[in-house]
Amino acid sequence: MAKTAGKLRRKPYEKELLRLQGELVKLQEWVRDEGRRVVVVFEGRDAAGKGGTIKRVAEYLNPRVARIVALPAPTERERTQWYFQRYVEHLPAAGQIVLFDRSWYNRAGVERVMGFCTQEEYTRFLHQCPIFERLLVEDGVLLRKYWFSVSDAEQERRFRDRLEDPMRRWKLSEMDLQSFIRWEEYSRAKDEMLVHTHIPEAPWHEVESDDKRRARINMISHLLSSIPYREVDRPSLDLPARPPESGYRRMARMDIAVPDAASGLPVKGPT
């Protein structure tokens, strides 16, 4: 695997990220105007930076147009359904973008490695997944799949950071620790998954993410370059003048205001 350049500095990264986020807004408006459907799958190692990238992708988008889907473990009822069924209900309608923070590929990764599915269920998934994705693409869905890769050393560093940071401790679970000690098993599972699901209609795109900033820039740039969107003309809007007062009198203030917890903090000086 080719080595990337050094880590990006903050200011150039933030400038380029903001530019790309502006393009994502244009993409969103094109999707809405054209009634297109976009699905972006984010998969990869634990602590590989998927969540942070999804956050930057969605930061300036309309949540009614672009939504994040991060499903919990299936319920007992969902376990009896066709495997893809619970994901189908979250697919986009016309004019929508769906970002899958993990997806149906759980079966090829954590379920395979941890023994949460049978060999028969796993084999059936590898057979059905390309068919399922071809059906989506044939129906007009723009499907993009990204695999975030991180080195074992960098993953260990990020895990240790989470263990020591009470604000991010929630990000680390027992399942994450299992992925740490089962590194090679997950590697073999990923290799087999790629063999069966890297298809012309829905290829995988790997994102090197030891440098999170570089990974975000590369992923967003690639996504934008893969979709032939255009800037949509919008009617100009002007803020109208308020109508004259009509005699409204504000009612007596009710004692419902939240306490001013910010009262002891420094304030801006006069401008």
Side-chain angles (χ1 to χ4, degrees), residues 4-9 13 207-221:
T4 59
K7 292 195 174 184
L8 294 183
R9 290 179 294 153
Y13 156 73
V207 181
E208 292 292 329
S209 61
D210 273 15
D211 179 355
K212 289 184 178 181
R213 295 173 184 169
R214 187 179 297 276
R216 293 163 188 164
I217 296 297
N218 289 342
M219 181 269 153
I220 297 173
S221 296

Side-chain angles (χ1 to χ4, degrees), residues 233-250:
D233 292 330
R234 290 294 177 192
S236 60
L237 298 175
D238 294 311
L239 190 65
R242 288 190 188 276
E245 294 183 9
S246 60
Y248 165 75
R249 290 282 186 269
R250 182 174 180 174

Side-chain angles (χ1 to χ4, degrees), residues 28-36 95 230 232-234:
Q28 166 193 266
E29 294 304 289
W30 174 80
V31 167
R32 184 161 60 174
D33 189 69
E34 295 284 333
R36 303 305 295 266
R230 57 176 175 80
V232 175
D233 292 330
R234 290 294 177 192

Side-chain angles (χ1 to χ4, degrees), residues 50-151:
K50 299 179 297 299
T53 304
I54 292 170
K55 178 181 177 181
R56 272 68 177 187
V57 169
E59 187 171 4
Y60 293 102
L61 302 184
N62 184 341
R64 294 180 177 86
V65 176
R67 54 192 168 87
I68 301 169
V69 174
L71 299 184
T75 64
E76 287 303 315
R77 182 176 185 277
E78 287 172 333
R79 294 179 201 277
T80 68
Q81 297 173 344
W82 177 48
Y83 178 71
F84 296 92
Q85 188 168 333
R86 76 185 190 123
Y87 297 100
V88 168
E89 64 181 277
H90 295 282
L91 293 174
Q96 292 184 335
I97 301 169
V98 172
L99 311 174
F100 277 100
D101 185 353
R102 297 208 179 274
S103 65
W104 46 89
Y105 282 99
N106 280 337
R107 176 136 295 176
V110 62
E111 292 189 23
R112 169 64 168 170
V113 173
M114 300 301 297
F116 296 155
C117 66
T118 66
Q119 178 63 40
E120 181 182 4
E121 289 170 331
Y122 172 70
T123 302
R124 186 185 305 124
F125 170 82
L126 294 180
H127 169 70
Q128 291 185 349
C129 184
I131 299 172
F132 173 66
E133 293 180 352
R134 287 189 182 102
L135 290 173
L136 294 181
V137 174
E138 286 174 10
D139 202 58
V141 173
L142 298 172
L143 175 61
R144 301 294 183 268
K145 304 186 305 190
Y146 293 94
W147 179 272
F148 284 71
S149 288
V150 65
S151 66

Side-chain angles (χ1 to χ4, degrees), residues 257-268:
V258 299
D260 185 7
S263 59
L265 299 179
V267 297
K268 288 184 177 181

